[in-house]
Amino acid sequence: MLLLVSSPSGAGKTSLSRRLVADHSDLTLSISATTRAPRPGEEEGREYFFKTRPEFEAMIERGEFLEWAIVNGHYYGTPKAPVMAALEGGHDVLFDIDWQGARQIAEKAPDDSVRVFILPPSWADLVRRLKARAQDSEEIMHARLKLGREEITHWAEYDYVIVNKSFDRAYADLGHIYRAERMKPGRNPWLPGFVEGLGQEQV
Ligand code: 5GP
């Protein structure tokens, strides 16, 4: 399963996604590459793979991305190889990406993709959370808010929408979505053999 999670910046998507991955050993987080500068506390290979523009463009040329997009004037992209390796190892993959990336991946793999959009409970709440994060200059924060308005216009393209009023509630909802999608018959190729075995059991 490809679990695609999008939201405007500050709606809690990253915390929700990282917690879901931490709580499910069969779910792997896709680490994106970006040309934006690391924020304080961010580490190479943990939040992102930080690249220069020439490095990123060379990766595009070599076809190394599953999808890529320009967000806020910076390149962001999903490296293909780790995703394929995780899927081949029987893992599901969670993507914390914007609507452009979610759309590209869902078009490539419609049956395997599940799209979840996280909304803030109010615009004021989003502004407050971005301010509390205090990682960005006033100018960058305004750019993020503008981009957030654009991101929100795509909410109806998603399979599920969660309003993040409380972290615990939103996290429980995300977990329910993941578990329910995991139980779809097509996602469990072992089921036919299992059911056949049930029919042959002697009682
Ligand atoms: P930030 O700079 O706040 O970490 O991320 C800005 C936006 O880029 C967020 O909406 C984030 O989900 C999105 N993003 C992060 N990685 C990728 C990616 O690999 N592809 C796409 N399309 N968007 C991404």
Side-chain angles (χ1 to χ4, degrees):
M1 189 199 315
L2 309 173
L3 188 61
L4 304 155
V5 184
S6 304
S7 79
S9 189
K13 159 189 59 170
T14 302
S15 316
L16 289 166
S17 300
R18 293 201 173 238
R19 166 106 180 260
L20 193 74
V21 168
D23 287 350
H24 294 88
S25 55
D26 288 347
L27 181 63
T28 300
L29 180 70
S30 163
I31 308 292
S32 299
T34 182
T35 57
R36 84 146 162 76
R39 294 196 194 115
E42 286 186 338
E43 268 177 37
E44 167 70 14
R46 192 181 64 189
E47 278 77 18
Y48 285 104
F49 295 106
F50 296 98
K51 304 284 175 199
T52 62
R53 288 184 85 89
E55 281 170 349
F56 198 103
E57 283 163 359
M59 289 176 77
I60 297 176
E61 284 292 306
R62 293 196 296 265
E64 289 178 19
F65 288 116
L66 205 54
E67 63 75 37
W68 63 271
I70 294 176
V71 184
N72 247 340
H74 298 290
Y75 283 119
Y76 289 82
T78 304
K80 208 185 286 177
V83 174
M84 300 323 283
L87 293 175
E88 274 156 27
H91 282 231
D92 296 321
V93 182
L94 187 152
F95 304 78
D96 169 345
I97 59 180
D98 85 331
W99 68 271
Q100 305 175 79
R103 184 187 275 181
Q104 289 178 60
I105 292 180
E107 276 169 5
K108 281 189 186 146
D111 294 342
D112 297 330
S113 296
V114 177
R115 285 190 272 182
V116 181
F117 199 89
I118 315 285
L119 284 171
S122 69
W123 194 254
D125 186 86
L126 192 75
V127 174
R128 194 175 46 74
R129 286 199 222 185
L130 277 182
K131 279 193 176 150
R133 199 153 84 177
Q135 280 171 327
D136 302 317
S137 67
E138 193 79 354
E139 193 189 335
I140 293 182
M141 207 183 78
H142 279 288
R144 281 187 189 288
L145 287 170
K146 193 165 158 241
L147 201 76
R149 288 211 185 271
E150 155 75 7
E151 184 81 24
I152 281 180
T153 63
H154 294 279
W155 70 274
E157 292 170 29
Y158 286 72
D159 301 306
Y160 300 94
V161 179
I162 298 174
V163 179
N164 186 6
K165 279 200 198 84
S166 106
F167 181 87
D168 289 346
R169 183 72 244 170
Y171 179 67
D173 288 344
L174 182 61
H176 296 325
I177 292 165
Y178 175 55
R179 294 300 307 151
E181 288 286 344
R182 186 87 288 312
M183 285 174 223
K184 289 211 164 144
R187 301 213 161 98
N188 295 286
W190 54 273
L191 268 174
F194 174 73
V195 174
E196 205 178 292
L198 284 181
Q200 286 163 2
E201 257 177 52
Q202 302 294 325
V203 272

